[in-house]
Amino acid sequence: MSLPVFLADLDAYLAGDTPVLPEIGAQFVLDGAEGKHAATVKRLQVGEVLILIDGCGAGVEARVEGVDKAALALQVLARHEFPRPAVTVVQALPKAERSELAVDLMTQGGVGTIVPWQASRSIAKWANKAEKGRAKWRSAAVAAAKQSRRLSVPEIGQLAQSSADVVELIQQCRMAGGTAVMLHEEASVPFASVALAEPLLIIVGPEGGLAPEEVEEFRAAGAAATVLGPEVLRTASAGLVALAAYGALRRW
């Protein structure tokens, strides 16, 4: 069974900072919400080993040396690097009740970066609350990463406020030698037939689908329009399905 995973400093990570990991051989106290969860919910005991991560691609193995009601005393044994996958999903803002579900599912599916996008047909509007929205997505990504025992947490990118912002991401991906695809129900090219290369950029539209002008802009920038089977997927689950298909085709 894989080792349980905890953020070395949950508050720092949720605030957008990178937690500082202890060095090999150092003593470390895991307290706060993570320490309480480890001690009272996971009920870790002296001698057990866990992984502390900074959420950004690095982590350490640590052995439990002491336990109280809300903290663990740890001895750091080894350091590892856990780079984020080179897969980005540009996710059009879903309806409020599905927003964090989309992040949860994509985290389980192995996404590296999630970029929220204010698509022209998005029902949800972040307007002046983009940072609040990103904070909620970051919390959802942390919870899903820990549950699935991921050793890196997906990065939540800045809000793409228009199709022009997405075009820039497509161009950056293509210049790096990667593949950009958009999921489009009216496309005729199956997702599985596209020659996919990392870095990979996947564009997921909103509940109403991609607008025709968005499709044309993205195609002109170098993104392939692809279809994921005969069914029309919900925006909250489309990213996961694409990630799972990519995993089966190229990664697993």
Side-chain angles (χ1 to χ4, degrees):
M1 186 174 180
S2 55
L3 298 175
V5 177
F6 299 91
L7 266 293
D9 189 333
L10 179 60
D11 290 339
Y13 185 81
L14 292 179
D17 298 325
T18 301
V20 177
L21 294 171
E23 299 294 330
I24 297 174
Q27 302 289 324
F28 183 80
V29 175
L30 180 64
D31 53 14
E34 292 287 80
K36 185 175 182 179
H37 184 75
T40 62
V41 178
K42 291 295 187 180
R43 297 181 182 275
L44 295 181
Q45 302 296 315
V46 172
E48 292 189 84
V49 177
L50 55 80
I51 293 182
L52 291 175
I53 62 172
D54 64 3
C56 302
V60 296
E61 287 184 37
R63 183 176 59 243
V64 180
E65 300 290 335
V67 181
D68 67 22
K69 293 181 179 179
L72 300 181
L74 304 172
Q75 172 79 38
V76 179
L77 306 175
R79 183 180 176 95
H80 302 284
E81 298 298 322
F82 311 115
R84 289 185 175 117
V87 181
T88 297
V89 174
V90 176
Q91 174 66 60
L93 299 180
K95 295 178 182 178
E97 65 272 16
R98 296 187 176 275
S99 185
E100 290 161 58
L101 172 62
V103 175
D104 183 300
L105 294 175
M106 287 187 286
T107 299
Q108 294 180 56
V111 71
T113 302
I114 303 171
V115 177
W117 169 37
Q118 188 72 67
S120 64
R121 293 180 175 175
S122 289
I123 295 174
K125 305 294 182 184
W126 278 12
N128 297 322
K129 53 185 180 181
E131 286 310 307
K132 182 178 180 180
R134 289 182 68 217
K136 288 184 177 180
W137 283 27
R138 192 178 293 118
S139 293
V142 168
K146 290 171 57 182
Q147 183 67 33
S148 55
R149 300 196 177 184
R150 277 190 54 155
L151 301 178
S152 65
V153 179
E155 178 182 359
I156 306 300
Q158 295 287 339
L159 174 68
Q161 300 185 51
S162 66
S163 58
D165 291 336
V166 180
V167 165
E168 185 175 349
L169 293 173
I170 294 170
Q171 293 171 338
Q172 291 173 355
C173 175
R174 298 287 290 159
M175 288 178 64
T179 305
V181 297
M182 53 180 148
L183 307 184
H184 185 36
E185 63 186 89
E186 297 179 10
S188 59
V189 177
F191 183 85
S193 70
V194 179
L196 303 172
E198 294 187 2
L200 175 63
L201 183 74
I202 300 170
I203 302 167
V204 178
E207 284 87 352
L210 295 169
E213 59 272 18
E214 291 168 341
V215 174
E216 291 309 311
E217 285 185 76
F218 300 162
R219 183 181 282 118
T226 64
V227 63
L228 274 173
E231 297 83 10
V232 177
L233 298 167
R234 289 190 169 187
T235 187
S237 58
L240 170 63
V241 174
L243 289 163
Y246 177 61
L249 290 168
R250 299 289 187 272
R251 300 171 73 188
W252 300 339

